Amino acid sequence: MMLAQRPQQVASIGYSRPEDEDGRMSQVSETMSSPGFIDDAERFAKALDMLSVTQKPTTEQRTDIFALVDKYHQYAASKVQALRKTLKSALSMRLRRLDDSSSQDSMDLDDADNQPIVSESADELERWEQEAQVWDMLRRLLPLRYSSRNSLRPMRREPSRFQSTSDLWSEFLQSDQTAQERKAILECLQTSADGSRTDIDHLVRDYQTQAERGDIIAHGWLHTRSAIKMQKNVNSWTGPLDPASADAGQLVDINGSNPLVTQLDPDVATRQGRKLEPQDEYFERAIWLGCYELLRRGRSLNEIRDWCVERTEVWRAVSMSAMPLSKDHEAGKSSADPISTLLWRRTCFALARQGGTDDYERAVYGILSGDIASVEKVCKSWDDFVFVHYNALLRAQFDGYLLKRTSPDSTAAIHQTFPSFNALQFHGDASSAGERLVSSLESNPKTSAEAKTPLKALQAAIISNNLTQYMHDLGVALGKRANQKAPSHLIPEFDGATINVNDPRFFMMNDHEGLRVATHVYLLVSHLDRLHREDRAESERSRAQDNIISTYVSILRLANLIDLMPLYCSKIQEERGFFTLSRNITRLEVPGDRSILLKNMTKLGMDTAKFVVYQPRSILEQNPLSDHSIPAFGAFTVLLNSPPTLKYGRPLKPDFFGDDPEALDATDESLIQSLEWFFLVEGLWEEFFEAGTAIYKRFLKGFNLHAARSLSERVQCADIFRRKTGLTITDDTDVSWFEDIRSGTTTISLQGIDLSVEQVAVAKNFFEMECLVRALDSMETIASSEAMAQDPTEELGRDFWGLVGNEVKSIKSFMGPILNNWLLESMQGDEDFTYLRDAYLPETIIGYVSVLHFAGTSLSRDNLLECMELASIIARKDADVATVLMKAGRMKEVVEGFANCSKALAISGNEKKGLGGSSKKMREMGWTRELWSVKR
């Protein structure tokens, strides 16, 4: 299920101070995400969700993961194909515009507009090609590295006399996992090159043009053959010319500077030390470049042969036919015997090192022989260099296998007489050869810049089987970046002295697509690791790696992909998963969205009750109040310093809560929201009131009245009783409902069981603090009304006084619990309650006296009578508030307030503006106004 409609704009993450973790205080730079990020993220999450549906046996889980990697690769490959089509169309349009010379000005403007689009498409295409290569590597390598045990076939030990190279190649791959991995890496590099590199015919076009032979691509060295034939006709020479003869000295190229070959066999230039005509040298270079590209792209032997036959150069196809290592598994289909294969490889090595007239010719034989130096000369990219080394390793490995599987008598002479390059010795220990190779490419000037890009660094980690370390280092780097300006609890910093925060190998926090790739690679590989080792213990390494997921969850939040976040949080260790999720849902305020999120969590096997309980606890732990405590007495005031008047008594301070903030502090908002989640989960009675009481204490201890008022409005005790017990409360301003439950007058049940005395008691402190906040809220409203009543310019009608009367009625109700053992009864002793009583009771009671005075002179004398009743309550022997007033030294102020009320009662008239008639309470209490009437 999807949450609220999402914007298509995605923000980059910025962490500058601790409050960033709730998402509202982040310094967010609004930037457009890559156009398809939201769609990509949803598709990847939907596929990943399939792994979380049911628990399956280990073998089936492993199979599902491999299938998921295939799915991700197919998706990336489809994106590559679509982008290539788009880019090709854009380029074709540019060419058509260039051909149209009817409006030069218009053409220039169109080109200027089209250039950024083409450039962006090319950049996006390159990025998707790199991602497709990542998934291609994984889909080939993971089944090999995490295969079932004993899947390899043991090597036959006896020498073979009749097996072909093809048979031995199959045996070799089936018996050696390292060889399988190297072959898989080669195939991946070949496939990537075949799809992304320029078409071969287009690539050789420049050389073909310089060969000055028009559209003729066949028939060999036309210019050299013509020159030899012409010299023979002119000089009446017959038969082959001896290059050492005097006649041959007259045979020079068109420039007259180099001796021309005298024959036309393939190796004549090397054998005679003579040159071809310059045009034919370009033709030769075009042919060898094409052959090199065919091998580099892993084309099949049939494709190589067809390409060469088209150019009447079939001998070149024959020279490459023994073992081209094609990506379509044709490599071992040679019918040659092992001895011939061993000789062929060494012959190719000799040609790579000592023969040939062109670097590409030597590179072709270098690939076929497993040489490195001769091929590296023509390498242009990181992929090319990796291909060269893995090709050399695999061929050297197979060469060693052939030597072992062939009679020593047959191979002794070959081994001693014909040298070959041994890449296994060159690279050393096989287990770390890949790691050393990719490390060397980071320092190689030709590849350093490319090797240090994040996707190439990720590919390097895959190739070298070092993903666990890379993911750890990435997590450390993300933690360092998140904590650069201020501590971040969401993406914590871990010790990593060797990790540079600006290391370009690691994805930046605003690289949404890159972190999507890294996150899913990490999740799949870590899942396989757990299945393989059956080791689920958490370590600091895994906690650092989880930074990757936490960062990606924040990206999903910024993209408004809230419904996807539980899936990824469920993959993190439980408590951190709860923490990550809770810090990223602070903006989840659309009705119903929270319920959908909890349903998604339940489907994923997450404990929603634990999550709801965890939220307030973790926020309170991460954001403790300052140890510096404010003295209780005098810290809070609701009164002005003005002297009392007969009409209004001691004046109240308007807006004593302070100016309303535009928004609550981020931590305060998160705390209130954390309590709102309790409405959506059954039970959790004690847990809610424990958390709610702690949050009220925090707000009141910090005199954070705006936050306390917001809490009292959004999470009312009456609503909890309504939702969790089904109790009907028609008017939550009449707090007698709570006393009815305490006294047993009203019986309610929680989840089918009657609410116990202890369960009611656990709610009492929360209820009492809510009453205080709501009483103060009404008092502030009355204080503002009092100020308006004193303003002669204000025209106050009946509606105004009616509203004042309602507020007075409410505050009378809320003051009931405050005047009766407020915060004295609790499940456990709490010193904070003593502090709150000292801080709030004296000022609240004195302010309440002023409220009754104002109401008595403005609304009804009955309020003055209630003030006299308040005096009797405080004067009772068992009154707890008198002790607090005496302790604060405020009893005198209270007595003076009562005296002022009595004076007002004695001289006041009977007019009523808000509430009229004898009140029910007067009749019940036996009060009479006549006692206070002064006869004139």
Side-chain angles (χ1 to χ4, degrees):
M1 288 190 287
M2 307 300 286
L3 300 184
Q5 185 176 7
R6 306 188 178 100
Q8 294 300 306
Q9 191 169 9
V10 182
S12 62
I13 304 174
Y15 295 88
S16 62
R17 53 195 210 183
E19 292 91 338
D20 284 343
E21 263 112 46
D22 78 339
R24 291 166 61 100
M25 303 301 292
S26 295
Q27 289 189 352
V28 183
S29 174
E30 295 290 338
T31 58
M32 290 300 292
S33 169
S34 56
F37 172 75
I38 291 176
D39 184 51
D40 299 336
E42 287 180 331
R43 287 175 179 268
F44 270 63
K46 183 178 180 180
L48 180 66
D49 191 32
M50 299 302 294
L51 293 181
S52 308
V53 175
T54 55
Q55 290 296 325
K56 297 181 180 179
T58 298
T59 303
E60 291 186 27
Q61 288 187 59
R62 190 184 294 120
T63 302
D64 287 346
I65 292 172
F66 297 155
L68 183 54
V69 175
D70 272 332
K71 184 175 291 187
Y72 286 159
H73 172 255
Q74 291 169 10
Y75 179 73
S78 69
K79 294 284 284 190
V80 169
Q81 293 303 320
L83 285 167
R84 284 176 182 163
K85 185 177 180 180
T86 300
L87 186 60
K88 184 177 180 180
S89 175
L91 291 173
S92 298
M93 187 178 298
R94 286 189 65 195
L95 290 175
R96 285 197 299 272
R97 286 173 175 170
L98 288 171
D99 290 339
D100 183 8
S101 59
S102 61
S103 176
Q104 184 64 42
D105 293 338
S106 175
M107 181 186 71
D108 291 342
L109 289 173
D110 288 343
D111 285 345
D113 291 339
N114 198 37
Q115 185 65 35
I117 298 174
V118 173
S119 178
E120 289 174 9
S121 297
D123 291 342
E124 188 179 2
L125 172 59
E126 183 180 0
R127 201 210 64 75
W128 274 105
E129 285 175 343
Q130 293 294 329
E131 179 175 341
Q133 193 171 352
V134 166
W135 296 117
D136 193 21
M137 286 181 180
L138 289 171
R139 78 185 182 95
R140 296 174 189 273
L141 291 173
L142 292 183
L144 299 175
R145 292 172 177 172
Y146 295 93
S147 59
S148 302
R149 296 178 181 179
N150 302 321
S151 60
L152 297 176
R153 298 182 185 178
M155 182 182 72
R156 292 170 56 184
R157 295 186 177 180
E158 70 278 6
S160 173
R161 295 179 58 190
F162 305 107
Q163 283 183 296
S164 66
T165 298
S166 175
D167 296 333
L168 289 172
W169 173 255
S170 298
E171 283 188 10
F172 165 64
L173 289 180
Q174 291 169 4
S175 65
D176 194 305
Q177 181 174 326
T178 301
Q180 292 176 4
E181 289 190 17
R182 287 170 177 166
K183 182 67 169 70
I185 291 168
L186 275 183
E187 290 175 353
C188 176
L189 294 170
Q190 290 168 332
T191 301
S192 175
D194 202 20
S196 62
R197 292 164 89 104
T198 305
D199 181 75
I200 295 178
D201 289 341
H202 182 77
L203 201 63
V204 303
R205 185 175 300 165
D206 286 345
Y207 290 144
Q208 188 74 21
T209 300
Q210 294 180 75
E212 298 179 5
R213 49 197 298 140
D215 294 330
I216 301 174
I217 60 172
H219 309 302
W221 304 326
L222 296 179
H223 295 275
T224 302
R225 179 187 298 115
S226 177
I228 294 173
K229 187 175 181 180
M230 184 179 68
Q231 287 293 329
K232 281 188 173 183
N233 289 336
V234 169
N235 295 298
S236 302
W237 295 334
T238 59
L241 287 175
D242 183 355
S245 67
D247 291 339
Q250 301 178 40
L251 195 60
V252 294
D253 64 13
I254 194 171
N255 297 322
S257 56
N258 295 305
L260 201 64
V261 296
T262 63
Q263 297 171 9
L264 297 174
D265 55 287
D267 66 337
V268 64
T270 304
R271 188 180 70 254
Q272 294 184 351
R274 287 173 167 259
K275 297 285 187 178
L276 302 174
E277 287 286 7
Q279 299 94 325
D280 289 334
E281 287 187 346
Y282 282 116
F283 173 76
E284 187 75 359
R285 189 171 301 168
I287 294 291
W288 285 120
L289 173 58
C291 291
Y292 167 79
E293 287 293 331
L294 290 166
L295 291 174
R296 174 65 184 86
R297 301 175 194 212
R299 295 291 182 85
S300 68
L301 184 57
N302 287 336
E303 291 176 289
I304 294 173
R305 183 178 58 248
D306 292 344
W307 195 87
C308 292
V309 166
E310 186 180 9
R311 289 156 176 78
T312 61
E313 300 285 331
V314 69
W315 68 270
R316 301 180 199 253
V318 173
S319 70
M320 294 183 279
S321 64
M323 194 176 170
L325 289 187
S326 304
K327 64 178 183 290
D328 61 356
H329 305 286
E330 275 191 354
K333 293 185 178 180
S334 171
S335 60
D337 62 88
I339 298 295
S340 299
T341 302
L342 290 169
L343 284 170
W344 170 81
R345 177 174 180 257
R346 283 154 177 77
T347 302
C348 288
F349 177 69
L351 289 170
R353 288 294 180 92
Q354 302 169 16
T357 59
D358 182 81
D359 284 343
Y360 281 108
E361 179 182 0
R362 288 184 283 270
V364 166
Y365 289 115
I367 291 175
L368 297 171
S369 66
D371 188 31
I372 291 177
S374 58
V375 190
E376 281 190 331
K377 291 180 180 179
V378 299
C379 289
K380 297 179 180 178
S381 68
W382 185 89
D383 283 14
D384 289 343
F385 279 89
V386 175
F387 170 84
V388 168
H389 285 265
Y390 271 82
N391 172 74
L393 285 166
L394 183 59
R395 290 180 184 274
Q397 198 176 351
F398 182 53
D399 192 82
Y401 183 85
L402 288 179
L403 290 172
K404 291 178 182 178
R405 300 285 289 116
T406 310
S407 169
D409 295 339
S410 304
T411 59
I414 296 174
H415 194 58
Q416 294 172 6
T417 308
F418 301 99
S420 64
F421 178 74
N422 192 331
L424 299 176
Q425 292 180 0
F426 177 81
H427 280 281
D429 182 18
S431 63
S432 58
E435 187 174 352
R436 288 194 302 275
L437 169 60
V438 297
S439 178
S440 69
L441 294 179
E442 290 181 8
S443 58
N444 187 331
K446 287 186 176 181
T447 56
S448 178
E450 185 182 5
K452 292 179 181 178
T453 58
L455 281 170
K456 277 304 174 194
L458 178 58
Q459 291 176 21
I462 296 170
I463 288 173
S464 60
N465 200 11
N466 206 24
L467 265 176
T468 301
Q469 184 63 45
Y470 176 82
M471 292 299 174
H472 169 265
D473 294 347
L474 173 58
V476 170
L478 291 172
K480 284 178 176 286
R481 289 168 184 168
N483 288 270
Q484 274 186 299
K485 296 182 179 179
S488 168
H489 299 301
L490 182 60
I491 307 174
E493 185 171 7
F494 294 91
D495 182 34
T498 60
I499 306 301
N500 185 339
V501 68
N502 296 316
D503 193 328
R505 295 177 302 155
F506 303 120
F507 298 97
M508 299 298 290
M509 299 181 107
N510 59 359
D511 186 354
H512 303 156
E513 296 283 10
L515 283 167
R516 171 183 54 78
V517 177
T519 298
H520 290 86
V521 171
Y522 166 63
L523 287 173
L524 297 180
V525 173
S526 61
H527 194 162
L528 286 171
D529 283 336
R530 289 195 298 272
L531 294 175
H532 195 66
R533 294 196 300 263
E534 298 182 355
D535 177 14
R536 299 176 185 269
E538 186 189 15
S539 63
E540 182 165 328
R541 175 176 289 272
S542 65
R543 288 194 294 272
Q545 292 168 336
D546 284 344
N547 274 354
I548 303 169
I549 304 176
S550 293
T551 305
Y552 187 63
V553 170
S554 294
I555 290 173
L556 294 176
R557 184 250 305 169
L558 294 171
N560 205 25
L561 296 170
I562 309 297
D563 49 333
L564 305 186
M565 296 194 305
L567 172 63
Y568 295 92
C569 291
S570 70
K571 308 297 182 183
I572 312 175
Q573 184 271 338
E574 184 178 66
E575 189 158 301
R576 184 168 182 192
F578 288 163
F579 182 84
T580 301
L581 185 57
S582 69
R583 294 306 183 271
N584 282 285
I585 56 176
T586 54
R587 295 185 181 182
L588 195 62
E589 299 170 357
V590 177
D593 281 1
R594 290 175 178 171
S595 296
I596 293 174
L597 195 76
L598 290 175
K599 288 179 182 178
N600 290 345
M601 292 174 66
T602 301
K603 291 178 182 179
L604 292 164
M606 300 178 76
D607 191 326
T608 54
K610 274 188 180 181
F611 169 70
V612 170
V613 172
Y614 172 81
Q615 286 195 82
R617 174 170 60 83
S618 67
I619 299 170
L620 289 169
E621 289 176 354
Q622 293 287 350
N623 301 277
L625 283 177
S626 171
D627 293 335
H628 176 68
S629 93
I630 304 170
F633 297 123
F636 167 67
T637 180
V638 300
L639 301 162
L640 292 173
N641 292 325
S642 305
T645 64
L646 190 61
K647 173 71 174 174
Y648 298 107
R650 192 169 176 183
L652 294 166
K653 181 192 298 183
D655 301 323
F656 59 78
F657 273 53
D659 295 334
D660 290 337
E662 292 185 6
L664 291 179
D665 173 79
T667 301
D668 298 340
E669 176 65 27
S670 295
L671 285 168
I672 296 171
Q673 287 191 17
S674 72
L675 289 181
E676 291 174 333
W677 286 84
F678 281 87
F679 287 129
L680 305 174
V681 179
E682 292 185 358
L684 303 181
W685 183 266
E686 291 84 357
E687 293 84 351
F688 168 79
F689 285 110
E690 179 184 348
T693 300
I695 293 171
Y696 259 131
K697 283 197 303 183
R698 175 192 175 93
F699 291 162
L700 293 176
K701 280 182 66 179
F703 300 96
N704 189 353
L705 296 181
H706 288 295
R709 177 165 58 191
S710 182
L711 174 56
S712 71
E713 293 169 347
R714 292 163 57 181
V715 188
Q716 293 185 359
C717 189
D719 282 340
I720 288 292
F721 274 81
R722 287 188 187 109
R723 298 198 187 199
K724 293 191 178 289
T725 69
L727 177 66
T728 300
I729 303 173
T730 55
D731 181 9
D732 58 68
T733 62
D734 180 3
V735 298
S736 60
W737 64 267
F738 191 83
E739 187 56 37
D740 290 342
I741 295 172
R742 287 191 69 204
S743 64
T745 304
T746 302
T747 303
I748 56 176
S749 62
L750 178 68
Q751 293 181 307
I753 303 173
D754 287 348
L755 210 63
S756 67
V757 175
E758 291 78 10
Q759 287 175 315
V760 176
V762 81
K764 186 172 185 294
N765 297 144
F766 180 89
F767 169 75
E768 290 173 331
M769 286 187 280
E770 180 185 296
C771 285
L772 172 72
V773 175
R774 297 184 74 180
L776 292 175
D777 186 31
S778 293
M779 189 180 295
E780 187 192 44
T781 302
I782 294 168
S784 298
S785 301
E786 180 182 313
M788 293 175 67
Q790 296 180 58
D791 187 348
T793 63
E794 292 283 354
E795 295 183 5
L796 307 177
R798 186 175 182 83
D799 290 343
F800 171 80
W801 292 109
L803 293 173
V804 173
N806 290 334
E807 291 295 339
V808 171
K809 181 181 177 182
S810 295
I811 196 173
K812 289 177 183 178
S813 176
F814 296 136
M815 286 301 295
I818 297 171
L819 296 170
N820 185 21
N821 296 323
W822 188 71
L823 298 184
L824 283 179
E825 299 174 7
S826 61
M827 300 299 290
Q828 297 177 344
D830 194 327
E831 293 181 358
D832 288 337
F833 287 159
T834 302
Y835 176 86
L836 294 179
R837 283 174 58 81
D838 292 345
Y840 286 96
L841 281 182
E843 194 74 10
T844 302
I845 292 170
I846 296 171
Y848 181 48
V849 172
S850 290
V851 168
L852 292 176
H853 190 140
F854 168 64
T857 59
S858 302
L859 297 174
S860 170
R861 293 177 69 203
D862 295 355
N863 295 297
L864 295 172
L865 293 175
E866 291 204 38
C867 190
M868 297 302 99
E869 177 64 17
L870 175 61
S872 67
I873 293 173
I874 295 175
R876 285 201 305 255
K877 288 183 178 180
D878 60 347
D880 63 282
V881 294
T883 305
V884 179
L885 290 169
M886 293 294 291
K887 180 180 177 182
R890 308 288 297 274
M891 184 60 81
K892 179 182 177 182
E893 296 174 59
V894 176
V895 172
E896 289 174 349
F898 290 146
N900 292 330
C901 282
S902 65
K903 291 177 185 178
L905 182 58
I907 66 172
S908 63
N910 293 324
E911 69 277 6
K912 308 169 187 65
K913 296 178 182 175
L915 300 172
S918 271
S919 68
K920 178 182 178 183
K921 185 170 184 179
M922 284 187 65
R923 295 194 297 271
E924 291 175 350
M925 301 298 291
W927 296 345
T928 176
R929 302 189 188 96
E930 299 305 320
L931 179 65
W932 295 91
S933 296
V934 177
K935 303 296 183 182
R936 292 184 175 86

